Amino acid sequence: MHRFHREFARRLGAAFLGSALLLSGCAMGGDPPATTSSEVNAMQQRFIVRYAPGSAPERDPALVAERISQSARAAGLADTSGMPGKVTWLRRLAVGADVVSIDPELDATQAQRLLDALNAEPDVQYAEPDGRMTIGPGPEMRMRGPAVD
């Protein structure tokens, strides 16, 4: 019976060690993923806007697209017909912010003007581009103790 427990513990330990080594190899990864042109375009086409609690767009998501259209007009973002393009409400996130899409897509300067206009509104807590979040290389950390080569 004692030999059975020892054999079981050895196999279980080997399984955990193998899993840990496999997962640590995945976590160390290589180069960060390259940003494709469609992801860059999406960053100037989709935005996340969080309205203050109690404001009309926060209570009714149907008002969000019109409010963003008004902000776009106020920021001077208008096409040849004088309209800022089509603003489409996509969904409300769990944190209460709304995701919207603007068509046609904005260039980087136009996107920044829109974000500045939205963030200047008193009932907007924050507005930011909707982009893919990834884990990338961070700042180099200095280690304490003797250097290890």
Side-chain angles (χ1 to χ4, degrees):
M1 188 67 148
H2 183 65
R3 189 170 22 148
F4 172 75
H5 289 293
R6 189 179 307 163
E7 180 66 22
F8 178 75
R10 186 179 65 76
R11 289 185 183 199
L12 186 63
F16 280 122
L17 178 63
S19 299
L21 289 174
L22 184 64
L23 290 175
S24 68
C26 293
M28 298 194 59
D31 294 331
T35 304
T36 65
S37 62
S38 63
E39 289 174 22
V40 171
N41 291 343
M43 290 170 56
Q44 272 89 34
Q45 187 176 2
R46 291 173 33 149
F47 299 89
I48 299 173
V49 181
R50 171 77 163 122
Y51 285 94
S55 64
E58 190 269 338
R59 289 190 311 265
D60 184 6
L63 301 175
V64 172
E66 180 55 35
R67 287 289 299 275
I68 293 175
S69 293
Q70 291 171 0
S71 297
R73 281 190 291 277
L77 301 174
D79 61 13
T80 56
S81 64
M83 298 303 294
K86 182 178 179 186
V87 178
T88 305
W89 180 85
L90 299 175
R91 67 182 170 277
R92 179 156 284 173
L93 301 174
V95 296
D98 296 291
V99 180
V100 296
S101 175
I102 298 182
D103 188 42
E105 64 194 38
L106 305 175
D107 63 26
T109 304
Q110 292 171 323
Q112 190 58 53
R113 283 195 353 227
L114 176 61
L115 290 172
D116 291 342
L118 287 169
N119 283 312
E121 291 185 16
D123 60 349
V124 172
Q125 288 185 334
Y126 64 86
E128 62 189 24
D130 181 23
R132 180 178 289 207
M133 303 297 278
T134 62
I135 297 174
E140 189 170 322
M141 303 292 288
R142 293 191 53 170
M143 302 298 287
R144 293 188 206 172
V148 178
D149 290 326

